[in-house]
Amino acid sequence: MATTVLTPTATRARSGLYDWLTTTDHKKIGILYLGSSFIFFLVGGVLALAVRAELAQPGLQFMGEAAYNQFFTMHASVMLFLFVIPMLAGFGNYVVPLMIGAPDMAFPRINALSFWLLPLAGTIMMLGFVLGGSAAEGWTSYSPLANAKYSPGVGTDLWIVGLILIGTSSILGGINFLVTIFKMRAPGMTMFRLPILAWTVLVTSVLVILGTPVLTSALIMLFIDRNYGGSFFDPAGGGNAVLWQNVFWFYSHPAVYIMVLPAMGIVSEIIPVFSRKPLFGYKAFVFATATIGALGFSVWAHHMFTTGSVYLPFFSFMTFLIAVPTGVKMFNWIATMWKGSIQFSAAMLFALGFLTMFLIGGLNGAFSASVPVDFAIHDTYWIVAHIHYVLFGGSVFAIFGGLFYWFPKMFGVKLNETLGKIQFVVMFVGFNMTFFPMHELGLMGMPRRIADYSPMAGWNDLNLVATIGGFLIAASVLPFLWNVFISLRGGERVGDDPWEGNTLEWATTSPPPPYNFDRLPEIRSERPVFDQRHRLAGRATGH
Amino acid sequence: MCPLRPALPGAEDPERSRGLVMTRFSKGIPQGAVIVALGALAMLLVAACGTGVTVLQPPAPATEQGKATDWLYQVVFIVAAVIFFLVEALIVFAAVRYRRRKGDDTLPPQIHGNNVLEVIWTAIPVAIVAIVFFISWQTLNTVDAVSADPKLKVEVTGFQWQWQFTYPDQGVTIVGLPDKAPELVVPVGETVQVSLQSRDVIHGFYVPAFLFKRDVIPGKTNVFDFTPTEVGTFSGQCTQFCGLLHSQMRFSVVVKSQADFDAWVTQAKATPTPAPTPTPGPSASAGGGGGTGGQPAAVSLSAQNIAFDQAALSAPAGTAIQLTFVNNDNGIPHNVVIHRDSPTGEAVFTGDIITGVATKVYDVPALAAGTYAYVCAVHPNMTGTLTVK
């Protein structure tokens, strides 16, 4: 019968490179996602260093306004769309099928397509640099500034095309995650036994599927405005400049949760394991995640309080309200550590970095929810501080925590813990040096996105501190690169379950075989591997 | 010995264990949490009640509206500071107090949750945000109030990359230039109503000392009031990224006494267009002197989409030049300034700024042979090379 014919085809030997290029294995695709996103992290980081170097002192020392505007625009575009979002999708890809006991994603080939769209899109976006200048309107690309009249270069068109491709990748990935989580869970894994990371990826996927098509439509309209004589966003032709902001933020505010919810999921896997306790208030945590997802679609106009075009009290209230489920999560994480047995591994340190810094990102965001206060701080460096406390203090710390946590599963070797702790300390100090002074700069009146400032403004010292901090962050990445290099070449070999994990990925080998599991433990809670370990331990000692 | 003994009442059935251990948790709270809370409060008292707090404070407000916003800021700041110290202290306390000791392999109590606690730490934040929202809303009504009968009306127009301030009732117009940021002069203690309009892209009218900004949006007029409370000069800047020279789009608000303001109005009226200095060509600079004897050479140049139509021009030396300048950018001001050698060289001719669509014939005095650069003073990115031979 046909089954005997299939086996030789599947085991045909292939070269390593060909295998990576054509793989549909979610684990390899996950690693590809993580690797390519990390390269874009380095690219975005270099662009950030260029921006910080220019701002270290007043006057233009290293570049003109034209280059500066391209650099900060592409820094944000690369970091948001080519690093944080795909990086978290990479964790989802690698970990979620393992966590739910599935052999692969539901649509492996679509999964490969989702990934390969990203390097293509990233290349298209960056091509602007060699074709007369990249996009330079800020990552928000406000129209009419982004119209052909004011931004005539091809860079902006390339930016639009790249972003549409990234959006397509996200939508395909979102559908894939939803089907995988709904249809491919192992027997016994009910929805309320789903690991929290899988829950956050699920809610994120819903946000992606509802939000990204709106951004795609907006981008197509902008493309028509620029190239085919449309005037959707140009008041000179009967369009509306604020319309762009509405459709853009309808996606891009939920996008903040797309970049934060899976990070919360990662932290929620790390803290229980290194506290040796279950996550406190599992169901409350799930409901809080769903609430953030739902409220996330009703707060977009808080980016537009100063336009004079939105009904302020409604969006103000919803923005305040979304702080509540986030607060619930914070208390649940702390309660998880309470009375625990906390081990300060590098992964746990990064998770603690997430808790302490994301808290600031939540609190300094609450200032903007208060509309008159937002009038004072909107579009200043306060907002730059806010987004970085959310996306660096939050997402990036969680990402490094996740890398230290799952590296042994991916490669069978641990990353060096000492190097990891050095990296954490330097990064934590550098991060706060860079971004905390920006609160003060914002209150003093320094607008964002300026290439230069007056030496009389009194912003010199704080800008210099921020620049030094920025280079400290860059320095903290070096031990990580060295760490990955030496660990892959001969790191400490560890067993299948080096951290005494809770979830199913720790029940298979490191790295896992194709299709992941030979057999699965019994699933009777959200911690099947914990249950199995301690039931066996209990039997062994006659408990 | 089984190191796990105290911990696992529900290992056989994890579902059941959730209800059991909760009480133990709530009993465990007091010692640690009280210390933490007291510590946080102590830090807070130091931070908030000391009169010399200078951390994270906005500038001293210089308007009535700004004072309302400043009061609201202080409320939000204190609430945020309390939460910050409390939660950070809890995180640090938990991490330090419950760190794993060397050789300790016991499993801590497996607490799955506590519904009472969940309700408490949902309800308290809801109450806090509801109160802060209500206070913000009330303050918003003060800050956003627009008078039906303002003392002074000013029309502020933003364009790449300058500001124009028009006083319709006084008949005064001020336009900024790259080397001279415009000043918005207003009397102290009176309500000033600003209406904002843009000629091109979105800008942001922001004065830090007023704790206020409002976007300047094409196709839409935004109106707000401010009532300055003290005499002085307050710097302002565009906050909405508006393209190449966004960082140079600065202005200042000069608050004068009523008498000084009236005097300023009289003086400003006497010099009709103070800003776009219609500099006559400095005769001393043209090497060959007058050269008005022959026919003036005719040269034409136009501006469209914030760019000159020609990147290079040429003209004969020693003859006056008649430069016909056509500005095709509707509503956007341009001019032509001729500099020796390069755009940063000495200016030998400065043409009047004209707002498109419009045409102007500039009479440029004779120039010595050499290379010159022509630039639009409003848009320094508009440049070209003039060769005189």
Side-chain angles (χ1 to χ4, degrees), chain A residues 65 309 332 342 356 378, chain B residues 56 88 100 118 213 220 248:
Chain A
E65 286 93 348
S309 298
N332 278 314
I342 297 166
T356 50
H378 183 66
Chain B
L56 298 180
E88 296 286 10
R100 194 176 302 174
E118 298 288 353
K213 72 176 58 67
K220 178 181 194 316
Q248 296 177 20

Side-chain angles (χ1 to χ4, degrees), chain A residues 134-149:
Chain A
S134 73
E137 300 85 55
W139 77 279
T140 51
S141 203
Y142 275 10
S143 197
L145 177 63
N147 287 2
K149 179 172 178 183

Side-chain angles (χ1 to χ4, degrees), chain B residues 184-198:
Chain B
L184 178 65
V185 183
V186 295
V188 69
E190 303 288 353
T191 300
V192 181
Q193 189 159 86
V194 175
S195 59
L196 299 165
Q197 282 174 304
S198 168

Side-chain angles (χ1 to χ4, degrees), chain A residues 65 136 150 276 278 281 306-309 332 339-342 344 356 370 375 378-379 440 443 445 526-527, chain B residues 4 18 56 59 72 88 95 98 100 105 108 110 112 118 133 136 200 206 213-215 220 222 240-241 248:
Chain A
E65 286 93 348
Y150 303 105
R276 307 189 79 183
T306 59
T307 57
S309 298
N332 278 314
K339 298 210 151 217
S341 174
I342 297 166
F344 293 104
T356 50
S370 177
F375 289 166
H378 183 66
D379 269 333
E440 296 282 3
L443 289 170
E526 81 278 12
R527 296 191 297 168
Chain B
L4 311 166
R18 282 184 189 149
L56 298 180
L72 177 65
E88 296 286 10
Y98 301 111
R100 194 176 302 174
D105 198 30
Q110 299 295 295
H112 286 270
E118 298 288 353
F133 162 73
S136 301
D200 41 43
Y206 171 46
K213 72 176 58 67
R214 180 63 44 93
D215 291 353
K220 178 181 194 316
N222 273 330
Q240 181 60 62
F241 181 67
Q248 296 177 20

Side-chain angles (χ1 to χ4, degrees), chain B:
Chain B
M1 276 298 294
C2 167
L4 311 166
R5 193 161 20 93
L8 268 184
E12 292 79 16
D13 184 1
E15 295 290 335
R16 195 150 47 100
S17 70
R18 282 184 189 149
L20 292 176
V21 207
M22 291 169 184
T23 44
R24 206 183 295 168
F25 181 79
S26 35
K27 267 186 207 160
I29 292 179
Q31 316 102 317
V34 167
I35 297 167
V36 168
L38 286 177
L41 270 179
M43 279 190 275
L44 205 89
L45 288 175
V46 174
C49 300
T51 43
V53 186
T54 51
V55 181
L56 298 180
Q57 289 301 304
T63 61
E64 306 260 342
Q65 291 80 355
K67 285 188 168 57
T69 303
D70 183 62
W71 177 83
L72 177 65
Y73 178 91
Q74 302 305 336
V75 172
V76 178
F77 180 72
I78 288 173
V79 171
V82 170
I83 296 170
F84 171 78
F85 282 117
L86 195 71
V87 178
E88 296 286 10
L90 281 170
I91 296 170
V92 172
F93 177 83
V96 173
R97 169 69 180 78
Y98 301 111
R99 69 189 182 279
R100 194 176 302 174
R101 308 294 208 280
K102 239 195 183 82
D104 177 9
D105 198 30
T106 49
L107 197 62
Q110 299 295 295
I111 308 151
H112 286 270
N114 182 326
N115 288 342
V116 177
L117 277 178
E118 298 288 353
V119 170
I120 290 172
W121 63 47
T122 306
I124 292 177
V126 167
I128 293 172
V129 299
I131 293 166
V132 178
F133 162 73
F134 187 77
I135 298 170
S136 301
W137 189 7
Q138 298 310 306
T139 308
L140 176 64
N141 292 336
T142 308
V143 172
D144 250 1
V146 176
S147 164
D149 182 29
K151 177 79 176 182
L152 175 67
K153 286 186 182 182
V154 188
E155 293 167 9
V156 171
T157 308
F159 53 91
Q160 286 180 325
W161 289 278
Q162 273 306 340
W163 300 94
Q164 176 180 302
F165 304 135
T166 303
Y167 297 72
D169 299 333
Q170 284 74 18
V172 172
T173 295
I174 309 289
V175 184
L177 282 175
D179 53 349
K180 189 176 178 297
E183 290 180 345
L184 178 65
V185 183
V186 295
V188 69
E190 303 288 353
T191 300
V192 181
Q193 189 159 86
V194 175
S195 59
L196 299 165
Q197 282 174 304
S198 168
R199 289 199 185 126
D200 41 43
V201 303
I202 303 175
H203 303 276
F205 182 90
Y206 171 46
V207 183
F210 294 1
L211 277 70
F212 187 83
K213 72 176 58 67
R214 180 63 44 93
D215 291 353
V216 185
I217 299 173
K220 178 181 194 316
T221 304
N222 273 330
V223 178
F224 70 92
D225 283 5
F226 71 94
T227 314
T229 52
E230 55 192 276
V231 171
T233 301
F234 305 97
S235 59
Q237 195 165 351
C238 176
T239 43
Q240 181 60 62
F241 181 67
C242 60
L244 189 70
L245 299 181
H246 165 60
S247 58
Q248 296 177 20
M249 202 167 149
R250 300 175 194 151
F251 62 92
S252 54
V253 179
V254 179
V255 181
K256 293 179 187 277
S257 69
Q258 186 67 52
D260 288 350
F261 175 75
D262 292 338
W264 174 82
V265 169
T266 315
Q267 189 208 340
K269 273 173 150 168
T271 44
T273 45
T277 40
T279 318
S283 53
S285 65
T292 41
Q295 284 285 87
V299 177
S300 66
L301 180 66
S302 70
Q304 190 155 11
N305 294 346
I306 330 276
F308 289 123
D309 65 333
Q310 294 166 87
L313 289 175
S314 61
T319 314
I321 303 165
Q322 204 169 60
L323 175 59
T324 307
F325 178 55
V326 184
N327 177 355
N328 287 319
D329 277 336
N330 192 10
I332 296 176
H334 292 300
N335 74 342
V336 179
V337 183
I338 298 175
H339 296 267
R340 196 182 297 285
D341 299 326
S342 74
T344 52
E346 177 201 358
V348 293
F349 170 80
T350 302
D352 289 353
I353 294 178
I354 55 169
T355 299
V357 174
T359 303
K360 171 104 185 167
V361 178
Y362 295 132
D363 290 317
V364 183
L367 298 172
T371 305
Y372 297 81
Y374 54 93
V375 182
C376 166
V378 187
H379 305 91
N381 60 316
M382 295 171 60
T383 59
T385 310
L386 171 67
T387 310
V388 178
K389 51 189 175 189

